[in-house]
Amino acid sequence: MITQAGAGRCDRPAIRPSWSHSRNLRGRPRVAARTPSAIADRVVREKSLYTTGPKPDAKADPRDSAPSRLQRLRLLGPAFVAAIAYVDPGNVATNVTAGATYGYLLVWVIVAANLMACLVQYLSAKLGLVTGQSLPEALRDRMPRVGRLAYWAQAELVAVATDLAEVLGGAIALHLLFDLPLPVGGLVTGLVSMGLLALQSRRGQQPFEQVIIALLAVITVGFCAGLFVAPPSAPGAANGLIPRFDGTDSVLLAAGMLGATVMPHAIYLHSALARDRHGGQEGQQRRKLLSATKYDVGMAMLVAGAVNLAMLLLAATALRGNETDGSLEGAHAAVGAHLGGGIALLFAVGLLASGFASTAVGCYAGAVIMGGLLRRRISLVIRRTITMIPALVMLAAGADPTHALVISQVVLSFGIPFALIPLVVLTSRRSVMGCYANRTPVVVAATLVVVVIITLNLVLIYLTMAAAT
């Protein structure tokens, strides 16, 4: 578990009793009158000086700062919305391809990526909860105007690339389920996500969270059902936990899996979700919320990690050696051929839920980025209309959806350092976080995560460009 430096000292009162009178030889303050009323007044006055926070020398009762299980359940939600980014259509394509091509070899990549994502998302939520600002807002206050505009441009490009992949995923799922043309499927996906965003605008954050969590449950069932038909090999899966590669192609695929897991827009969004849901609290309440946030992030990342792992294990068990051509259509066809039409149907439904939820969350993240960096807000519905145009144009032009997904992952790789580095730097500064700043072990772990993720994404960009030439 991640702890905050000096959490017990965060909320000590700034006011200290000062005596305007002299002290006796024993260091005790003299009182002008020792009448019962004077002594009572002094006691009340002394107590009032400490009512702004917990007593500095008192040992905090863990039961006062740790929320109950019921309280934790009520506080869950923001991390589950962010977790949708970890089970979007890009993850489906890379995980199924990894399992079908290399079996259990890259199980360790999913486990490592999920652990990294857990740390990153907690830091994002902590920033929003402690400072009352989203990551884009915190950056806005520390950047000149030209820098803000340039930063916003790259962040918006990442958001559009994310949206492209997710609309494509929804369109492909509708084509698989109802044989809809891809442009029509893309339009339907955009309209459904528009409805989800309208729900958030009119009813608030919590109803939106509840719908997204329900879609996450559908995704989980859709992608995990096949494991009951074709259980994986326990020794094979355990052997896959040993980090290793099998040639350049496996390195490229591993980098793609990591790039599809740690998403820049999820980092921006989670800080805003935590701020809107829990921000503005102080003292014991803030510590309770930070404790609950650890469980929120842990449970959400556990679900997302389990779904990603299920995809790879399913492919490794039932599809090993079968050509899926790296496409979502190929993965669906292989699942249907080897596990039956029922499992293929659940797979397509899970993919559809992934497309609907992830494109709504991605558009929401874009609004957070613009509002935070530029102080400009437009209706989420209008924004949804604008951002789905590139995907619809690409689908109408007959572009290869698989190639478009690959390009979107490369664009996402460019944006990851711009989100990760500022996040680690800001959450490690006491001038920003106070006594909740990252302790040295967390700084070291977060720095290592940043180096690994950026390095693998640079490898992904290089290998992708080399393959194209």
Side-chain angles (χ1 to χ4, degrees), residues 448-465:
L448 180 62
V449 167
V450 169
V451 170
V452 170
I453 291 176
I454 292 177
T455 300
L456 283 177
N457 277 277
L458 289 175
V459 171
L460 172 63
I461 294 171
Y462 171 77
L463 293 178
T464 302
M465 297 300 182

Side-chain angles (χ1 to χ4, degrees), residues 208-234:
F208 178 75
E209 290 176 358
Q210 292 165 0
V211 173
I212 294 298
I213 290 173
L215 289 173
L216 181 59
V218 174
I219 295 167
T220 303
V221 173
F223 292 139
C224 295
L227 293 179
F228 294 94
V229 177
S233 165

Side-chain angles (χ1 to χ4, degrees), residues 117-152:
C118 192
L119 175 59
V120 168
Q121 294 304 141
Y122 175 74
L123 293 182
S124 176
K126 186 171 77 166
L127 176 69
L129 200 156
V130 172
T131 66
Q133 289 186 308
S134 66
L135 178 57
E137 288 172 336
L139 291 172
R140 178 195 65 207
D141 293 343
R142 293 164 177 82
M143 297 174 69
R145 185 173 184 275
V146 174
R148 288 199 307 271
L149 290 173
Y151 194 95
W152 170 75

Side-chain angles (χ1 to χ4, degrees), residues 1-4 7 10 65 67 75 122-123 125-130 278 283-297 433 435-436:
M1 287 295 181
I2 304 167
T3 59
Q4 290 75 45
C10 284
S65 59
L75 295 173
Y122 175 74
L123 293 182
K126 186 171 77 166
L127 176 69
L129 200 156
V130 172
H278 304 312
Q284 292 282 356
Q285 186 63 22
R286 176 181 288 173
R287 288 198 290 275
K288 288 181 180 180
L289 290 173
L290 284 170
S291 176
T293 297
K294 295 175 187 176
Y295 285 92
D296 189 25
V297 172
M433 303 292 291
C435 58
Y436 294 102

